[in-house]
Amino acid sequence: MYVIGISSGIKHGHHDGAAVLLRDGELIAAAEEERFTLAKHARGELPRGAIGFCLKQAGITMRDVDWICSPLKTYTNYTQRLTEYFKYQFGHCPKLELYDHHLCHAASSFYGSGFSEATVACFDFSGDSSSGLVAHARGNDFRVLTRFARNNSLGLYYGMLTQYLGYQMTNDEYKVMGLSSYGSPEYLDKFAKLLRPAGINYELDPELDKRRRDAEIFTSDFSTRQERIFTEKMEEILGPRRLRGAPLDQRLTNIAASGQKQLEIVATEVIRSAIAETGCGDVCIAGGVGLNCKMNMEIAAEPSVKRLYVPPVPHDAGVALGGAMMKCAEAGHTIAPLNHAYWGPEYSNDTIRETLDKIGAKFELLDDPVARCVSDLTDQKTVGWFQGRMEYGPRALGNRSILADPRHAGMKDRINLTIKYREEFRPFCPSVLYERQAEYFEDTFDAPFMVVTFPVNEKVAETMPAVVHVDNTARIQSVHADSNPLYSRLIGEFAKATSLPVLINTSLNINEQPTVNAPLEALHTYFCSGLDVLYLGPYRLSKPQQAKGSPNL
């Protein structure tokens, strides 16, 4: 049985389109639509490119597919709209099944975890008339303990905070999270008035929501992202907001810290209360707020939490996976745990070579890219690393990555300034060999998806300053030889050369562009940034060395 799961939709509020393909419960392919349209988040678009990739990867046509699964169960006439869409785009529409948005989120995390039983929490912006849920999952049964109302939303709360600080909601929340570590929660008492814990639930002050107050204007589910979503009450409590592009001061940084801390307090209280009700300390997190790795660290540290699993796609791209998993589980198929994210397109060496020849690029063909790459890294070069199947989810995990040596603090500023073109306070993540991560990070568990931060061991922090955030934490990627042998070997060889089994790893893209998919996009990023070296499979491209005395680190 072939099942395709999709996410996103047809309204301007829909985003993070993706498609996955399962065959009898086995994941075959998965990718986000933004990697094909090159428009970040692929807003308001059904995932035509990602669907086409999934079909190609399996060597089938749409007529071989048994089911299309999608969220948006509560949307009027959506089944008819999807039927017409698939007939128009692919010439055929398989059977359709619409599921609840947040049950899809929950399923993606629970089935991906491999747990036989779990307390599952979905913290989201909104979908299918709610903003999340808490459930007790056992086998194929999801017993919903509570649902969060659409307007009582942690995603909405953090979107308001993001806008207040002068950033773009549903895009820049990670900037607020990174900024928060530079402040102190001096405004926590004020945020306690805006967002209040209530056991397994919480309460967002309804007077903050401009869409509710001005309902005669905002007649759709979302205001547009160019409009303010919070009322004047937020500024009455916190003081003047920051205009986009204005300087940041300590007051705003402390507000970021306070807003982040209140999110952690509320989410942890929900989990603690839910575990008390379910009696199950194995926890799965999903929903867009599940990308908040600082929140996830606090949840993992909660004494009642036994194990924590957050999938590589907790945001809306993950509902495609969850919907397909639910259909396969209903059919009696076993769903394998999701222990890696390498489910996207892969390009042959011949295809890469054709692209290089078309643009007239100068390159070297290497017998062993790993050995040469280690030499580049220890020579303090920044490296684009394009190998194997593209990652499913927003994190580059060693196949579409920018890599560098973390032993020099200046490397962080260099990458932010000359390659990523982004704010100087933004941290970078360490990829670390799983078997050695406990030497460098505290309270660790297997974290292959860069969705949880961990405290850095203070005894070794000075050996890798470029990946230690200002609060002495790091959002790690646990690297396993069985799921990514090439990347694992690269880190292992780097460790032999430097005694450090850690690399800086950030996505192979320029700020505000999607992570690259195809070789041509990797070349565009390389030539339009300060990257020193690019590895495309076995091919190496390099730029002329800087003149002696020019700034480097």
Side-chain angles (χ1 to χ4, degrees):
M1 181 176 78
Y2 284 105
V3 178
I4 286 179
I6 63 172
S7 60
S8 193
I10 53 179
K11 293 189 175 184
H12 68 262
H14 300 145
H15 53 88
D16 293 324
V20 306
L21 176 66
L22 274 68
R23 180 183 60 214
D24 296 336
E26 178 188 2
L27 183 57
I28 302 298
E32 292 174 90
E33 183 66 8
E34 67 172 22
R35 312 295 172 83
F36 301 91
T37 66
L38 306 186
K40 199 168 182 181
H41 300 297
R43 301 189 188 278
E45 294 191 62
L46 288 165
R48 182 181 63 179
I51 292 169
F53 153 69
C54 288
L55 295 173
K56 182 179 179 181
Q57 183 69 25
I60 62 175
T61 71
M62 188 60 74
R63 293 187 179 275
D64 298 307
V65 177
D66 297 282
W67 288 94
I68 299 290
C69 299
S70 174
L72 305 182
K73 184 177 182 179
T74 61
Y75 277 60
T76 304
N77 299 324
Y78 197 55
T79 299
Q80 182 179 352
R81 297 286 294 273
L82 283 181
T83 299
E84 294 179 359
Y85 172 84
F86 277 93
K87 287 181 177 179
Y88 173 64
Q89 295 290 351
F90 298 96
H92 173 72
C93 183
K95 291 177 287 187
L96 285 167
E97 184 79 64
L98 300 185
Y99 290 106
D100 174 79
H101 181 94
H102 296 108
L103 280 177
C104 289
H105 271 310
S108 72
S109 188
F110 175 62
Y111 289 123
S113 72
F115 299 160
S116 60
E117 176 186 5
T119 299
V120 184
C122 174
F123 302 126
D124 205 9
F125 198 118
S126 72
D128 278 323
S129 302
S130 66
S131 69
L133 56 78
V134 177
H136 183 201
R138 182 187 287 128
N140 294 332
D141 179 57
F142 290 81
R143 180 170 66 92
V144 176
L145 306 179
T146 189
R147 280 187 180 271
F148 310 123
R150 186 178 75 88
N151 295 310
N152 192 37
S153 164
L154 290 185
L156 174 61
Y157 160 78
Y158 215 82
M160 289 175 173
L161 177 61
T162 301
Q163 276 198 344
Y164 175 89
L165 291 168
Y167 297 115
Q168 179 72 56
M169 73 169 188
T170 66
N171 185 68
D172 293 343
E173 281 80 356
Y174 54 89
K175 297 181 182 181
V176 176
M177 182 177 63
L179 177 65
S180 69
S181 297
Y182 288 84
S184 60
E186 295 182 4
Y187 295 86
L188 195 58
D189 59 333
K190 296 182 182 296
F191 275 92
K193 300 175 183 177
L194 305 180
L195 180 69
R196 295 176 284 275
I200 201 171
N201 214 310
Y202 54 83
E203 183 181 355
L204 177 65
D205 186 342
E207 294 183 1
L208 291 177
D209 191 345
K210 194 172 188 294
R211 301 172 308 167
R212 294 184 69 181
R213 189 194 68 183
D214 301 337
E216 71 281 4
I217 299 174
F218 300 110
T219 56
S220 66
D221 286 348
F222 287 82
S223 59
T224 62
R225 288 166 178 81
Q226 63 187 346
E227 296 173 283
R228 178 166 54 92
I229 60 171
F230 59 88
T231 65
E232 292 79 5
K233 184 173 182 178
M234 197 161 183
E235 290 187 81
E236 291 170 3
I237 293 175
L238 299 176
R241 66 184 176 94
R242 172 181 176 254
L243 289 175
R244 189 175 184 88
L248 282 166
D249 57 25
Q250 195 59 48
R251 179 185 72 89
L252 293 167
T253 305
N254 291 342
I255 285 174
S258 304
Q260 170 68 31
K261 186 63 179 177
Q262 189 65 10
L263 172 71
E264 296 165 7
I265 290 170
V266 167
T268 303
E269 176 62 23
V270 169
I271 298 299
R272 185 186 303 116
S273 300
I275 291 173
E277 188 167 337
T278 65
C280 180
D282 287 339
V283 174
C284 297
I285 300 293
V289 184
L291 287 170
N292 193 298
C293 56
K294 285 171 63 64
M295 177 192 77
N296 294 337
M297 179 178 70
E298 295 301 318
I299 290 173
E302 160 58 34
S304 62
V305 173
K306 181 181 177 183
R307 292 184 292 178
L308 176 67
Y309 177 84
V310 185
V313 281
H315 61 312
D316 275 4
V319 299
L321 178 64
M325 284 176 160
M326 290 175 73
K327 175 53 66 178
C328 287
E330 289 172 2
H333 298 295
T334 300
I335 311 297
L338 189 66
N339 53 24
H340 71 79
Y342 309 111
W343 300 106
E346 182 175 16
Y347 297 87
S348 69
N349 292 341
D350 288 344
T351 298
I352 295 172
R353 177 66 181 262
E354 289 174 6
T355 303
L356 291 169
D357 288 341
K358 281 181 180 179
I359 69 168
K362 296 181 180 179
F363 58 86
E364 304 171 72
L365 175 60
L366 305 173
D367 292 329
D368 185 11
V370 166
R372 187 65 176 277
C373 185
V374 169
S375 178
D376 283 332
L377 291 166
T378 56
D379 284 345
Q380 302 308 300
K381 291 185 172 66
T382 53
V383 172
W385 186 250
F386 182 104
Q387 309 288 340
R389 294 186 69 172
M390 182 182 71
E391 298 89 342
Y392 173 40
R395 308 301 181 211
L397 301 171
N399 282 6
R400 302 289 188 275
S401 292
I402 293 170
L403 308 176
D405 186 341
R407 293 177 297 165
H408 302 281
M411 186 61 79
K412 169 179 169 289
D413 292 336
R414 176 180 164 192
I415 297 174
N416 272 331
L417 178 66
T418 68
I419 300 173
K420 302 291 279 190
Y421 308 125
R422 65 184 200 179
E423 298 86 351
E424 71 281 356
F425 61 79
R426 302 268 296 277
F428 290 111
C429 302
S431 292
V432 55
L433 294 178
Y434 171 69
E435 59 271 20
R436 295 193 60 187
Q437 66 184 29
E439 301 172 33
Y440 295 87
F441 308 97
E442 298 177 357
D443 306 321
T444 58
F445 51 87
D446 191 12
F449 304 132
M450 284 187 183
V451 287
V452 185
T453 57
F454 296 89
V456 177
N457 185 328
E458 293 185 3
K459 296 180 180 178
V460 295
E462 63 182 13
T463 67
M464 49 181 186
V467 292
V468 180
H469 199 29
V470 66
D471 60 358
N472 202 52
T473 66
R475 175 165 54 94
I476 75 171
Q477 176 199 2
S478 308
V479 178
H480 296 259
D482 56 350
S483 59
N484 197 331
L486 184 68
Y487 191 43
S488 177
R489 185 164 74 87
L490 175 61
I491 300 174
E493 293 300 316
F494 181 80
K496 290 179 182 179
T498 65
S499 300
L500 183 66
V502 177
L503 286 176
I504 294 175
N505 177 11
T506 187
S507 53
L508 183 54
N509 67 328
I510 294 170
N511 191 33
E512 299 300 335
Q513 296 181 2
T515 302
V516 305
N517 169 8
L520 188 61
E521 295 145 29
L523 288 162
H524 177 271
T525 297
Y526 173 66
F527 286 116
C528 292
S529 74
L531 264 175
D532 295 316
V533 182
L534 175 64
Y535 287 80
L536 293 165
Y539 303 102
R540 178 183 181 272
L541 290 80
S542 62
K543 295 172 182 174
Q545 290 285 332
Q546 290 178 309
K548 188 175 182 180
S550 62
N552 189 10
L553 287 177

